[in-house]
Amino acid sequence: PTSNFLAIKTEFTSIKEGNEKMTVKSKQQHKSSSSSTLLLCNLLLGVVAMVLIATAPSTCQAQEYAAQGGDYQEYQDYADGYAQQDNLYADYANRQQQKDTTATTGAAAAAGGGGGGLVKSFLVGGAGWYIGGRVHSTRLKSKLKRDHMKSQKTLYSQYYNDVYKLQQQNADLAYAVEQYQTAIKQIQTD
């Protein structure tokens, strides 16, 4: 039992030392990224605190005013008799409501009117999908073309280098053959 305990203890200490070494390395490697993350978090926390501090007094004042039984003044209190004349929006709202009720109860509703929102959404979505596909395929096509041109350029340069080396080798072999032929002629004449 004690030998098992010692074995477990030595294994644990070796694992612990390995983890400490890894922790030191990771701390050294990620020191700059963690400090920038910490700086960003502190900045965000500061902005949130400033917003909360700025909005707290006005919220408290409004709640205190309402709690004391105060009511906010209405537009008519300051209108000086113009309140009766200023009903342009009310007239517009009434006309829109009349249009809506006649459209939903009249012949347009029976013919299927008023449900164009879904069709418009599908049309806009389909057009966006098509245009997005065109944009992305154009980008992909230009990237593939650029990569193809690059690989074709390296292939041609390799081809020209190989041809040049073969021509040089042929010239060297032709020179060697010529030297051997002259040597053979000298041997035959002697």
Side-chain angles (χ1 to χ4, degrees):
T2 56
S3 62
N4 288 340
F5 176 73
L6 290 175
I8 292 172
K9 184 178 178 182
T10 55
E11 187 176 333
F12 177 73
T13 54
S14 66
I15 291 172
K16 185 177 176 183
E17 288 173 0
N19 285 341
E20 287 175 358
K21 289 178 184 176
M22 288 175 49
T23 305
V24 168
K25 284 183 181 178
S26 64
K27 283 182 182 178
Q28 290 172 352
Q29 290 174 353
H30 300 293
K31 187 175 185 179
S32 62
S33 65
S34 63
S35 64
S36 63
T37 305
L38 184 63
L39 180 65
L40 184 63
C41 288
N42 285 338
L43 181 66
L44 184 63
L45 184 63
V47 168
V48 169
M50 287 176 38
V51 167
L52 288 175
I53 289 171
T55 58
S58 62
T59 305
C60 292
Q61 289 173 354
Q63 288 174 350
E64 288 174 8
Y65 184 74
Q68 293 174 359
D71 57 345
Y72 294 101
Q73 301 295 324
E74 295 293 326
Y75 172 73
Q76 285 80 12
D77 294 343
Y78 300 101
D80 294 331
Y82 293 106
Q84 296 301 324
Q85 296 174 7
D86 192 18
N87 57 4
L88 184 63
Y89 178 74
D91 292 341
Y92 170 76
N94 286 335
R95 280 187 301 223
Q96 286 298 109
Q97 188 175 9
Q98 288 174 356
K99 284 182 189 177
D100 290 343
T101 57
T102 57
T104 56
T105 58
L118 188 60
V119 173
K120 288 178 188 176
S121 297
F122 280 127
L123 289 176
V124 168
W129 177 74
Y130 177 75
I131 292 170
R134 294 283 296 195
V135 167
H136 288 298
S137 65
T138 304
R139 286 182 182 174
L140 181 64
K141 185 172 73 173
S142 65
K143 182 180 182 275
L144 288 175
K145 187 175 181 181
R146 188 173 49 244
D147 291 345
H148 175 69
M149 294 299 282
K150 187 177 181 181
S151 66
Q152 190 175 16
K153 182 180 176 183
T154 58
L155 182 66
Y156 279 140
S157 64
Q158 182 182 358
Y159 170 75
Y160 286 126
N161 288 337
D162 291 344
V163 167
Y164 177 75
K165 287 178 184 177
L166 286 174
Q167 288 175 348
Q168 188 69 27
Q169 190 177 16
N170 284 342
D172 291 341
L173 289 173
Y175 179 73
V177 167
E178 189 178 310
Q179 292 294 324
Y180 286 133
Q181 286 177 351
T182 55
I184 290 174
K185 284 183 186 177
Q186 279 182 352
I187 292 174
Q188 287 177 352
T189 56
D190 289 340

